[in-house]
Amino acid sequence: MKIKISVPGKIILSGEHAVVYGKPAIAAAVDKRLTVTLQSRDDGKRGVHSDAGDTKLIKAAINVVKDELKLRKKGAGRHSIFTNGYELNVESKIPVGAGMGSSAAAAVGAIAAFMVAYTKNHSIDHKKINDLAYRVEKIQHGNPSGIDNSTVTFGGFLWYRKEFEFLKTFWKLQFKIADKMDNFYLINTGRPDETTGEMVQTVRERFCKKKMPIGTKFLQILDNIESVAKQATLGIKGEDEGMLMEAIRQNELLLEKLGVVGQFAKNIVREIEAVGGTAKISGAGGIKDKSGLLLVYHTDKRAVEKIAKKYSLECSTAELGAEGVKLDKLIV
Ligand code: PMV
């Protein structure tokens, strides 16, 4: 049996960090994909290879599937792919550690591959895959909102909210970026020294330590992030460029207030703003050195490329709203 699964990357348009505290966020799947190929063997051997970071996460994902299928007890599932052996290969076009959902995509891809191998009709069960991938995110980050795994699983544009641990809701927004507003660019400022989990913890320690209930200053920032997430969404839907750009600008300032943007990324954002564009970090950020991905909006592509070049950074266009996890190939 050979199964090929592909999963998109993601960006957060607005609402990262606040989403951990129950606020809404808007995210979009992007057209840089990760591919997982699962091939069965008959010698009982198991191989896992990945060019998307370390394989610990993929092994955690495999264990989550085994738990779900109750295959971890000795003797269970004797005729399954798990005992007969397999080769799992992960190839990715999603930059690692940049806030583009590469680890969520790897977990979703590995889970989807084994679930497709194991289920009778070999179909993709998005909800099940998403629930299992969330468990892997929890092992990885401790207290994730679930926005990363949901966005790469379901694709498109997601308006996401975690009300409680047992109630994570999202609405798949039925819109696309209007042609005249197709001016998004991605600049990778570099892999942060901190993990997503550490950045979430940094915010918690800064604003919530010993302050129960949460202090008013923090609540104000969270409320303001909610407002700009709504403004960004309305800007895209209403094709109102000014509204969208102002929302991105305000969102960046709020993220800086939260303390998740490093000086290097701040400098680049200010330069983009000085030439008439707008930019924000997308994802958890980083403060020791680099801050991961910058989402840039500018009507002049060359102006953005010039700034990226000055800092020797990669700059690419972003197709937002890509399809979620999908089965690309199945040979039974
Ligand atoms: O993994 P990243 O860098 O895309 O960050 C995820 C977004 C956060 O809000 C910072 C964390 C979360 O779990 O929602």
Side-chain angles (χ1 to χ4, degrees):
M1 180 186 286
K2 188 172 180 178
I3 291 162
K4 209 171 185 178
I5 299 280
S6 75
V7 195
K10 72 105 217 326
I11 55 134
I12 298 181
L13 277 153
S14 186
E16 53 275 89
H17 284 289
V19 71
V20 174
Y21 299 88
K23 291 295 185 186
I26 174 171
V30 293
D31 60 340
K32 295 180 198 294
R33 299 186 82 86
L34 171 143
T35 305
V36 173
T37 311
L38 177 65
Q39 173 112 48
S40 56
R41 299 171 64 137
D42 51 16
D43 57 4
K45 288 192 179 142
R46 281 163 248 171
V48 175
H49 308 278
S50 171
D51 70 3
D54 96 60
T55 54
K56 234 168 74 190
L57 170 111
I58 293 162
K59 287 178 182 156
I62 294 170
N63 283 334
V64 162
V65 173
K66 281 185 179 171
D67 276 342
E68 174 66 18
L69 301 172
K70 305 201 175 16
L71 296 177
R72 283 178 96 177
K73 282 194 208 105
K74 236 181 162 189
R78 251 172 305 148
H79 303 293
S80 76
I81 190 164
F82 294 105
T83 36
N84 294 342
Y86 58 80
E87 203 63 41
L88 186 95
N89 263 298
V90 179
E91 287 173 292
S92 181
K93 296 210 159 51
I94 307 170
V96 177
M100 278 190 74
S102 110
S103 60
V108 164
I111 289 167
F114 281 104
M115 293 305 280
V116 165
Y118 206 80
T119 45
K120 281 214 170 68
N121 60 0
H122 302 300
S123 63
I124 294 258
D125 179 345
H126 288 84
K127 180 164 183 335
K128 174 64 75 189
I129 291 166
N130 193 39
D131 287 348
L132 297 180
Y134 178 68
R135 283 193 221 165
V136 180
E137 289 277 284
K138 284 193 80 152
I139 296 168
Q140 279 274 105
H141 306 309
N143 182 29
S145 64
I147 192 168
D148 285 13
N149 51 282
S150 301
T151 308
V152 304
T153 301
F154 291 95
F157 291 85
L158 252 55
W159 180 259
Y160 184 91
R161 196 162 194 147
K162 179 182 176 182
E163 300 288 348
F164 305 104
E165 187 60 38
F166 57 87
L167 179 58
K168 297 182 280 302
T169 65
F170 69 83
W171 186 261
K172 214 168 158 182
L173 297 165
Q174 296 302 327
F175 57 46
K176 65 184 208 53
I177 304 286
D179 287 347
K180 67 166 187 175
M181 283 172 71
D182 197 4
N183 300 313
F184 286 97
Y185 300 94
L186 304 176
I187 294 182
N188 188 355
T189 71
R191 192 176 181 158
D193 285 341
E194 305 90 337
T195 63
T196 295
E198 282 164 356
M199 288 312 294
V200 168
Q201 190 58 22
T202 299
V203 173
R204 191 173 293 281
E205 278 170 12
R206 182 160 177 187
F207 291 97
C208 306
K209 218 177 180 184
K210 293 189 215 129
K211 274 196 206 140
M212 288 309 250
I214 296 173
T216 45
K217 187 178 168 209
F218 188 43
L219 283 179
Q220 190 65 59
I221 296 175
L222 297 180
D223 285 348
N224 289 344
I225 293 178
E226 174 166 7
S227 296
V228 296
K230 287 180 175 163
Q231 206 185 322
T233 307
L234 290 175
I236 294 172
K237 173 128 179 67
E239 302 181 15
D240 184 336
E241 189 166 70
M243 187 186 236
L244 171 69
M245 288 181 76
E246 182 57 15
I248 294 174
R249 197 178 72 81
Q250 292 293 341
N251 199 165
E252 167 64 20
L253 292 177
L254 289 162
L255 287 162
E256 289 178 15
K257 271 196 188 164
L258 278 186
V260 296
V261 189
Q263 195 54 50
F264 181 64
K266 281 184 196 170
N267 293 345
I268 302 171
V269 171
R270 297 292 98 81
E271 284 203 34
I272 291 165
E273 289 170 346
V275 295
T278 185
K280 67 177 273 290
I281 61 149
S282 176
I287 40 174
K288 284 187 194 147
D289 187 13
K290 307 294 163 56
S291 307
L293 197 72
L294 274 185
L295 176 66
V296 182
Y297 188 93
H298 204 306
T299 48
D300 182 357
K301 185 180 181 192
R302 271 183 305 176
V304 181
E305 282 173 345
K306 200 171 157 195
I307 292 171
K309 197 169 167 206
K310 178 177 161 192
Y311 288 92
S312 306
L313 297 175
E314 244 177 71
C315 171
S316 59
T317 49
E319 278 291 325
L320 305 183
E323 191 178 345
V325 59
K326 63 184 170 94
L327 178 59
D328 287 343
K329 196 173 183 179
L330 170 69
I331 302 169
V332 183

